[in-house]
Amino acid sequence: MIEENGAIRTLSVDIGGSGVKVIVLDSHGHALTQRARAETPQPPKPGSVIDTIAELAATQGQFQRVSVGFPGVVRNGVTETAVNLDPDWIGFDLVTALSKRFNKPVQVINDADMQGLGAISGKGVELVITLGTGFGSALFVDGTLVPNLEMGHHQFRKDETYEEQLGRAALEKVGEKKWNRRLEKAIKSLHNLFSYDYLYIGGGEAEKVNIKLPENVKIIPNITGLLGGIALWKD
Ligand code: BGC
């Protein structure tokens, strides 16, 4: 696809509540392989998710390092929350487990943070939200990440959180029309809170957004979640 000149190949992994996705990126962050996806194993415990990542990785050819976006708070490679996976992830050292499995360097960050790194311009206050199984959020100031924002579990309206109102379960329950109206309110509420210069909306359900968006609000393709994987290796 893109010329590579023997540059380092990075396996980028997006662990989601419903699917696990992988792709290989060149050192500029361009995709070198076709994205591969598998259903998230049930129950989504660390061992079976790691097996799924290894099976997907085997379809991707060579790679020298691994980047992972994880759907929960991640600190120093340890997963601290996993609302849409399994309690076994709390306190799990994912970096060490994957480094042993692949015998390669591994970096892990929150999935919305990784998606944001693939989307932002690096100027001003940029907010990213992801609409999938959960509600992800990431905040950047002049390109610097404020890690593990977790807006999803903050109160939004009617005694419910952003995730309870806008996650996939809510979308399935109330339907696209009502979900879109809620999203419109969320965009206003988040603007009041952050006065962002740009808001990016990603995730598997972003394609269902059909409201008229303000000029500084953009839908980003779901693949951005994987493309952000290259930024984890910039110092
Ligand atoms: C998690 C976040 C994650 C989001 C999207 C939420 O439930 O708490 O860490 O980014 O889902 O996967």
Side-chain angles (χ1 to χ4, degrees):
M1 210 179 278
I2 305 286
E3 93 295 319
E4 220 211 332
N5 302 329
I8 294 179
R9 293 167 61 106
T10 304
L11 180 77
S12 189
V13 182
D14 182 6
I15 302 175
S18 55
V20 179
K21 291 138 260 172
V22 304
I23 205 166
V24 171
L25 305 174
D26 72 7
S27 40
H28 306 290
H30 298 126
L32 292 169
T33 56
Q34 286 283 347
R35 186 193 85 144
R37 180 189 188 280
E39 294 295 309
T40 305
Q42 296 301 326
K45 289 184 181 288
S48 44
V49 170
I50 289 172
D51 286 346
T52 301
I53 294 171
E55 281 158 27
L56 289 169
T59 68
Q60 299 288 300
Q62 298 286 322
F63 53 90
Q64 286 79 41
R65 59 190 187 186
V66 183
S67 299
V68 181
F70 179 83
V73 172
V74 181
R75 200 185 308 270
N76 301 325
V78 175
T79 57
E80 292 189 351
T81 68
V83 175
N84 293 304
L85 292 177
D86 187 278
D88 279 11
W89 286 97
I90 297 169
F92 184 78
D93 189 343
L94 183 54
V95 158
T96 301
L98 282 177
S99 313
K100 282 192 184 141
R101 181 68 171 247
F102 289 115
N103 203 18
K104 293 180 171 53
V106 176
Q107 302 257 19
V108 183
I109 62 167
N110 172 264
D111 56 353
D113 289 351
M114 190 155 109
Q115 171 118 213
L117 288 167
I120 56 162
S121 72
K123 289 199 188 84
V125 175
E126 295 180 278
L127 182 67
V128 181
I129 60 173
T130 65
L131 303 170
T133 310
F135 180 103
S137 55
L139 180 65
F140 298 83
V141 182
D142 289 333
T144 300
L145 171 67
V146 180
N148 295 315
L149 181 65
E150 295 294 322
M151 275 304 299
H153 303 296
H154 275 253
Q155 177 131 355
F156 170 34
R157 58 193 286 272
K158 304 208 161 168
D159 261 342
E160 288 193 331
T161 63
Y162 284 88
E163 183 156 307
E164 285 167 334
Q165 285 259 309
L166 287 161
R168 183 169 295 122
L171 170 62
E172 281 164 6
K173 188 166 161 224
V174 304
E176 286 184 32
K177 203 169 158 197
K178 207 162 171 187
W179 180 83
N180 268 281
R181 282 207 300 268
R182 288 179 175 182
L183 181 65
E184 208 157 24
K185 294 191 173 91
I187 290 171
K188 283 192 186 126
S189 156
L190 291 172
H191 191 261
N192 286 338
L193 182 58
F194 294 105
S195 297
Y196 51 73
D197 294 298
Y198 291 102
L199 169 66
Y200 304 93
I201 304 178
E205 303 295 4
E207 60 186 32
K208 307 228 168 82
V209 176
N210 63 16
I211 47 178
K212 189 170 167 2
L213 296 171
E215 258 186 20
N216 60 347
V217 180
K218 257 213 252 167
I219 303 287
I220 51 172
N222 206 18
I223 190 93
T224 321
L226 289 167
L227 300 181
I230 201 66
L232 277 52
W233 299 94
K234 296 203 173 104
D235 44 35

